[in-house]
Amino acid sequence: MKTISLFNLKGGCGKTTSVINLGYLLGQKIKGKVLYIDCDMQSNLTNSLMEYDLDRPCIYHLFTDEKEAKDVIYQVSDNIDIIPSSLLMATIEPRLAGMYGREFILKRKLEAVADDYEYCIIDCSPSFSIVTTNALVVTDDIFIPVQTEYYAVDGVHLLEETLEYISKSLGINKDITLLFATLHDVRNNINNLQYDNLKVSFGEKFMDTYIRKNIALVESPIFKQSIFEYKPKSNGAEDYLNLFKEIESKGGF
């Protein structure tokens, strides 16, 4: 099972939207299955694909050792499953404080289901926490969606420092695999300037394809659908298809 995490310390950058739509395309292409994991207490990925249910066993119960992975996996479609999150995750840090090996809980729990999936895609929390560390530990590739706004480059450099700290403290090697621009407005000079700055700063790691601002991308989670199911002819669908193809051509999938 190849694991990809979408990570950014800034919220609202399109992580969840990218998980859903890149994951959908990946699920259409491969013969195996895709597992989504929602590691964010805001549960945007979960709520974009499932009905709200605070009583549902979720990733919180995985981390607290109350459940095994198979007990918190739910079917989204024929070839996509999810480990959901909930607001219970807001209380997880105190539960894990002082626990030996707490950075490797998710890695250990996923071993039991790894052979059932070809890919795992994790929606990380926009914070540096034990849960985020767990996600990055188990991750093979790290994708960074980044808004083309004024402080975008500085924010990504902070991500690099965070990954360097995790790598040194845990004795593992984690680095950014690729970055791509989201919520991009080609009519906005600042957006275009920051796009160019990101390209200069990160070179081949920064994808040429950008995701434009598109109202259909905002609407589709309301109907628990990917953009390709909701409005397949929209700009959002066109952009994510082009991004998927570029990532694929560069060995990201």
Side-chain angles (χ1 to χ4, degrees):
M1 181 175 74
K2 181 175 181 178
T3 302
I4 299 167
S5 280
L6 277 84
F7 180 43
N8 198 319
L9 292 173
K10 184 182 184 305
C13 64
K15 284 190 293 83
T16 300
T17 301
S18 298
V19 169
I20 293 171
N21 293 302
L22 293 177
Y24 176 86
L25 291 171
L26 190 59
Q28 294 294 303
K29 180 178 178 59
I30 64 175
K31 294 181 180 180
K33 296 182 70 175
V34 179
L35 176 65
Y36 293 160
I37 303 179
D38 191 347
C39 280
D40 190 349
M41 71 176 182
Q42 296 181 51
S43 310
N44 289 335
L45 178 61
T46 301
N47 294 332
S48 295
L49 298 170
M50 308 174 74
E51 296 301 326
Y52 182 81
D53 184 358
L54 190 60
D55 296 324
R56 178 172 51 218
C58 67
I59 194 168
Y60 172 86
H61 303 98
L62 197 67
F63 273 102
T64 58
D65 212 22
E66 298 172 58
K67 299 287 184 180
E68 297 303 319
K70 63 181 178 62
D71 302 318
V72 295
I73 291 176
Y74 302 84
Q75 186 175 31
V76 172
S77 63
D78 289 343
N79 54 355
I80 296 177
D81 292 344
I82 186 173
I83 296 179
S85 184
S86 81
L87 286 174
L88 287 171
M89 289 297 282
T91 67
I92 196 65
E93 293 288 320
R95 292 287 302 267
L96 301 182
M99 180 186 295
Y100 178 76
R102 60 189 180 276
E103 297 90 354
F104 300 91
I105 296 172
L106 187 59
K107 180 179 177 63
R108 175 170 53 84
K109 291 285 189 176
L110 289 179
E111 288 174 353
V113 298
D115 291 341
D116 298 334
Y117 298 94
E118 191 169 341
Y119 282 88
C120 173
I121 306 180
I122 302 177
D123 190 2
C124 293
S125 171
S127 64
F128 180 39
S129 64
I130 292 298
V131 175
T132 299
T133 301
N134 267 266
L136 296 176
V137 163
V138 78
T139 291
D140 299 303
D141 290 331
I142 300 171
F143 293 2
I144 310 295
V146 54
Q147 288 179 259
T148 48
E149 58 181 21
Y150 185 66
Y151 294 108
V153 176
D154 289 341
V156 177
H157 287 317
L158 179 59
L159 286 175
E160 290 182 306
E161 293 175 9
T162 300
L163 293 174
E164 184 178 357
Y165 172 79
I166 291 174
S167 297
K168 288 182 177 179
S169 62
L170 297 178
I172 56 180
N173 184 26
K174 300 296 174 180
D175 195 10
I176 294 172
T177 304
L178 60 85
L179 309 90
F180 57 91
T182 57
L183 299 169
H184 186 63
D185 185 350
V186 295
R187 301 164 299 178
N188 186 308
N189 289 334
I190 296 297
N191 281 196
N192 291 327
L193 176 63
Q194 290 306 93
Y195 177 92
D196 292 340
N197 287 341
L198 286 161
K199 190 64 180 176
V200 170
S201 296
F202 297 99
E204 289 300 314
K205 286 188 176 183
F206 185 66
M207 301 294 100
D208 293 325
T209 307
Y210 51 77
I211 308 300
R212 289 169 286 182
K213 290 184 176 179
N214 179 235
I215 188 63
L217 288 171
V218 178
E219 295 171 344
S220 58
I222 299 173
F223 301 95
K224 314 298 183 191
Q225 293 179 324
S226 71
I227 191 64
F228 303 100
E229 297 162 296
Y230 177 61
K231 284 193 176 177
K233 297 184 182 297
S234 65
N235 287 340
E238 178 185 357
D239 291 347
Y240 271 107
L241 179 58
N242 289 335
L243 177 62
F244 182 87
K245 289 179 179 177
E246 182 178 4
I247 293 174
E248 186 180 34
S249 71
K250 296 181 178 179
F253 292 126

